[in-house]
Amino acid sequence: MRAAKAVIPAAGLATRFLPATKAVPKELLPVVDRPVLQYIVEEAASAGINDILLVTGRGKTSMIDHFDRRPDLEARLEEKGDLDRLEAVRRPGELAEIFACRQGEPLGLGHAVSVGQSHVGDEPFVVMLGDEFMDEDSPLLPAMLDLQAATGGIVLAFIEVPTELVSRYGIASVAPATDVPADLAAEHEIVRVTGLVEKPPVDQAPSNLAVVGRYVLPATIFDAIRRTGPGSGGEIQLTDAMATLLAEGTPVHGVVFRGVRYDTGTPAGYLEAVVELACKRPDVGPTFRRWLVDFVDKDLRG
Ligand code: G1P
């Protein structure tokens, strides 16, 4: 059975973006004219995931408002005949069914996922971290969903990171995957995971394959999270709960992602996402690119 629901943990305080995130959730920071969270929900919807649970926290209710209707605004735009903007305002509400629950205390990613248990039920589900998304031209989720439906286990996505950055990520040790459907293996770089460790010191990392923010998990993860004590940073880590399931025999595979990923979790990564996506946009892109080339030439080189 293919996973049909996604959980998006989005209760964090986003201290890296203060003071911008004092009153605005970081998930609503705009990339061109859409908030980061909308790109993530669009990524889910494109992969056939139309049931999304936002795990939120205090002061972050505006995230849910973004996916609600705005009849007053819609009526205004309709009167003015501004049909493009009317479409843009309606679109978030048409992508998926959005549900919300609260993570009362910031006890870690594993804990955030666990509060979704009663919404998710017994079926496999997707976890999408709220500050990264994949370019629509290089989708990742469909292959992960197909692979999970075939194995019934855990499916992760990896990127290769420079050795000095391994301590920022969950890191995997891997072996060749010999037990996955041939059609998937032919089209994607799939590995079998033999070990997982959260944010290891550089000299103890088993590889440079870093877990990125897309997971397809069986519902047995909830029980494993309950059995997981505080780990890296004193938090209940999803990586540790997945390592427990791995040790107990759950198959764990990873898809090595070579496409374009935007990481808006840091100010520098956020700015890169804004510039890259602005350049790609058919409406503002051509003018923005010309300005950017000019700016780099004159202001930075000269
Ligand atoms: C989380 C996970 C980590 C993963 C990372 C990807 O860490 O705990 O395993 O590699 O996301 O972005 P965080 O960035 O929340 O500290």
Side-chain angles (χ1 to χ4, degrees):
M1 164 135 196
R2 214 169 186 258
K5 296 181 181 180
V7 173
I8 303 183
L13 294 174
T15 46
R16 283 177 185 151
F17 284 92
L18 284 170
T21 48
K22 193 176 163 195
V24 177
K26 75 166 171 183
E27 293 81 3
L28 291 188
L29 294 178
V31 173
V32 190
D33 55 6
R34 275 181 275 165
V36 171
L37 187 57
Q38 185 175 334
Y39 287 91
I40 296 170
V41 172
E42 282 178 2
E43 185 185 328
S46 307
I49 304 282
N50 300 103
D51 177 314
I52 293 176
L53 178 70
L54 297 177
V55 180
T56 75
R58 274 175 295 280
K60 302 191 82 173
T61 314
S62 49
M63 285 193 297
I64 299 150
D65 293 339
H66 182 72
F67 296 93
D68 197 359
R69 296 291 300 271
R70 265 294 296 271
D72 56 331
L73 189 55
E74 290 172 30
R76 253 315 249 295
L77 292 167
E78 207 157 8
E79 261 169 45
K80 282 175 41 184
D82 193 344
L83 299 184
D84 288 346
R85 286 209 176 84
L86 178 64
E87 220 278 300
V89 163
R90 283 190 178 147
R91 185 168 163 74
E94 292 164 350
L95 291 169
E97 265 198 285
I98 304 289
F99 301 87
C101 69
R102 289 280 183 115
Q103 182 189 20
E105 290 175 276
L107 299 180
L109 178 59
H111 177 258
V113 170
S114 76
V115 300
Q117 179 169 14
S118 59
H119 182 85
V120 167
D122 293 330
E123 308 299 341
F125 66 104
V126 178
V127 171
M128 304 175 82
L129 299 194
D131 49 20
E132 49 186 295
F133 56 95
M134 312 305 153
D135 195 276
E136 60 183 358
D137 294 335
S138 49
L140 165 65
L141 269 184
M144 293 180 71
L145 290 162
D146 289 346
L147 184 55
Q148 201 282 335
T151 66
I154 293 173
V155 175
L156 304 173
F158 298 125
I159 53 168
E160 286 187 77
V161 295
T163 313
E164 65 272 19
L165 297 185
V166 289
S167 57
R168 290 192 197 169
Y169 295 92
I171 301 291
S173 46
V174 303
T178 49
D179 51 352
V180 297
D183 56 331
L184 282 173
E187 272 185 53
H188 304 278
E189 205 174 323
I190 298 172
V191 289
R192 192 167 61 80
V193 175
T194 54
L196 279 170
V197 51
E198 180 69 9
K199 303 196 172 83
V202 172
D203 56 349
Q204 285 168 34
S207 77
N208 68 338
L209 286 178
V211 173
V212 296
R214 299 291 179 267
Y215 309 77
V216 193
L217 301 169
T220 48
I221 194 71
F222 295 117
D223 177 60
I225 294 170
R226 259 193 303 281
R227 294 186 278 131
T228 302
S232 167
E235 298 187 336
I236 298 176
Q237 295 292 350
L238 183 59
T239 303
D240 295 343
M242 295 192 300
T244 301
L245 289 186
L246 172 65
E248 291 170 356
T250 299
V252 183
H253 292 88
V255 178
V256 183
F257 182 64
R258 307 267 181 210
V260 178
R261 165 181 173 264
Y262 303 105
D263 181 358
T264 61
T266 62
Y270 170 74
L271 289 173
E272 284 170 24
V274 172
V275 172
E276 281 193 36
L277 284 158
C279 286
K280 281 185 72 168
R281 280 273 294 254
D283 50 355
V284 294
T287 313
F288 181 66
R289 275 166 182 262
R290 275 195 296 277
W291 172 84
L292 188 61
V293 168
D294 221 39
F295 173 73
V296 171
D297 250 22
K298 284 198 197 119
D299 293 67
L300 297 184
R301 285 203 197 133

